[in-house]
């Protein structure tokens, strides 16, 4: 298991954003979180990324406790937040260098990976422009590349496809699948149900802080006798 979330609870004052949830992700698998606005997806991802404290439970990433061995756990993760942040005055290349240096990568390794992802996500021509001059989708490509740059074992993505054109969205999808096929693991949250259906090995449906279903999409469809994920999602989250 690359990720073990055990009894995670996070409260904001009286609001229980995440209510005693547990799930695991195996190496080489893509796990997708879907759920209505305010369900607790971002809160869960931020807890795993080590960005916020939580009230109860344990999170283990690659055998390291996210609180007690935070730096070690973070060193094997790549994180793409729901509202990506770039340093406007840096060029795309400088930003990727900056991130890679945080992970203590060597110059050769950095250059190799920058070339790889610039070519894959087609931003070679923008590399030396300041990111303040990028379009939304171009910023998103740099952010996605920055999560892959240090060859992490686990990638966390909060809404990966927002703002990407169809061609790059497909490339990102294929890249995630290939990365998982080569032993990487992905935890993503999405409102794009077709994406969850297409690339996730397993999904968790979250509602009001609880995981109301966890497992394989086909099994869930069989169980509820629905053949479409949208209907299924509406059914599962309607009365909660
Ligand atoms: N910093 C915060 N302070 C107070 N309450 C918060 C904070 N962040 C989130 N919440 C609350 O926690 C709950 C879960 O929010 P969260 O952002 O995790 O949902 P989400 O599933 O990511 O939703 P969305 O689909 O809209 O991105 C909501 O009720 C939200 O209002
Ligand atoms: Mg969110």
């Amino acid at each position: 298991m690359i990720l073990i979330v055990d009894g995670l609870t996070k409260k904001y004052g009286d609001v229980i954003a995440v209510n005693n949830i547990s799930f695991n992700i195996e190496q080489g698998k893509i796990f997708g979180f879907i759920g209505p606005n305010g369900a607790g997806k971002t809160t869960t991802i931020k807890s795993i990324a080590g960005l916020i404290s939580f009230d109860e439970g344990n999170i283990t990433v690659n055998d390291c406790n996210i609180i007690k061995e935070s730096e070690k756990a973070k060193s094997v993760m790549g994180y793409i937040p729901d509202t990506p942040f770039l340093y406007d005055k840096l060029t795309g290349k400088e930003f990727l260098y900056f991130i890679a240096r945080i992970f203590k990568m060597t110059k050769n390794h950095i250059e190799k990976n920058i070339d790889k992802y610039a070519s894959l996500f087609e931003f070679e021509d923008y590399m030396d422009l300041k990111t303040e001059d990028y379009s939304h989708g171009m910023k998103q490509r740099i952010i996605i590349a920055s999560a892959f740059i240090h060859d992490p074992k686990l990638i966390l993505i909060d809404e990966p496809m927002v703002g990407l054109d169809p061609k790059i969205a497909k490339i990102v999808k294929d890249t995630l699948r290939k990365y998982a096929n080569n032993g990487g693991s992905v935890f993503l949250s999405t409102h794009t149900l077709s994406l969850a259906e297409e690339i996730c090995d397993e999904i968790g449906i979250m509602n009001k802080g609880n995981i109301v279903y966890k497992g394989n999409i086909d099994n869930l469809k069989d169980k509820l006798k629905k053949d479409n994920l949208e209907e299924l999602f509406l059914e599962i989250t309607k009365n909660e």
Side-chain angles (χ1 to χ4, degrees):
M1 292 294 168
I2 187 73
L3 172 69
I4 303 171
V5 175
D6 181 22
L8 175 68
T9 296
K10 168 73 184 175
K11 298 176 193 156
Y12 293 107
D14 292 339
V15 176
I16 304 179
V18 175
N19 185 16
N20 189 19
I21 65 167
S22 301
F23 62 96
N24 302 330
I25 304 184
E26 268 176 62
Q27 205 193 334
K29 298 287 183 201
I30 302 182
F31 186 94
F33 241 21
I34 57 183
N37 295 133
K41 305 179 296 296
T42 297
T43 304
T44 305
I45 293 184
K46 283 185 174 166
S47 304
I48 298 168
L51 293 175
I52 56 172
S53 61
F54 42 88
D55 297 278
E56 277 170 54
N58 278 305
I59 296 175
T60 310
V61 180
N62 199 33
D63 294 329
C64 300
N65 183 290
I66 190 63
I67 305 288
K68 294 183 193 136
E69 299 159 280
S70 159
E71 209 172 300
K72 228 168 143 192
K74 286 176 182 171
S75 72
V76 297
M77 282 190 278
Y79 169 56
I80 305 171
D82 54 346
T83 38
F85 175 82
L86 283 165
Y87 291 102
D88 283 359
K89 302 295 175 196
L90 296 185
T91 65
K93 186 165 187 169
E94 286 166 346
F95 179 76
L96 292 174
Y97 246 94
F98 173 65
I99 299 296
R101 284 295 197 197
I102 290 174
F103 288 103
K104 303 187 174 76
M105 288 170 65
T106 62
K107 189 162 184 290
N108 279 349
H109 193 182
I110 298 173
E111 292 284 342
K112 189 174 134 246
N113 280 8
I114 287 182
D115 287 349
K116 176 175 159 186
Y117 289 106
S119 152
L120 188 64
F121 299 139
E122 299 180 11
F123 56 76
E124 292 117 316
D125 295 347
Y126 296 81
M127 289 275 278
D128 296 317
L129 281 183
K130 287 195 178 108
T131 58
E132 67 186 354
D133 297 331
Y134 284 16
S135 67
H136 176 78
M138 202 54 72
K139 286 182 184 168
Q140 189 72 356
R141 294 185 203 186
I142 294 284
I143 293 281
I144 294 174
S146 75
F148 279 98
I149 203 78
H150 61 297
D151 302 319
K153 293 186 181 205
L154 172 65
I155 291 201
L156 309 171
I157 318 180
D158 208 348
E159 278 294 338
M161 298 302 169
V162 176
L164 296 180
D165 69 46
K167 183 179 171 198
I168 297 297
K170 165 119 181 52
I171 291 172
V172 170
K173 246 182 336 200
D174 293 346
T175 305
L176 289 171
R177 195 60 264 176
K178 197 164 149 206
Y179 164 75
N181 292 344
N182 288 327
S185 309
V186 180
F187 178 45
L188 59 87
S189 90
T190 185
H191 291 298
T192 314
L193 301 181
S194 58
L195 172 75
E197 192 151 26
E198 213 176 313
I199 68 165
C200 293
D201 299 298
E202 224 185 311
I203 57 161
I205 300 184
M206 208 173 182
N207 200 17
K208 297 186 178 163
N210 298 295
I211 295 181
V212 290
Y213 174 80
K214 187 171 50 182
N216 171 292
I217 296 179
D218 290 335
N219 291 349
L220 182 62
K221 283 177 171 171
D222 284 349
K223 199 168 126 193
L224 295 188
K225 301 193 171 39
K226 301 256 185 235
D227 59 4
N228 143 338
L229 190 60
E230 191 180 24
E231 278 181 28
L232 221 162
F233 175 82
L234 293 173
E235 172 78 23
I236 280 191
T237 53
K238 76 177 176 195
N239 290 323
E240 300 288 330

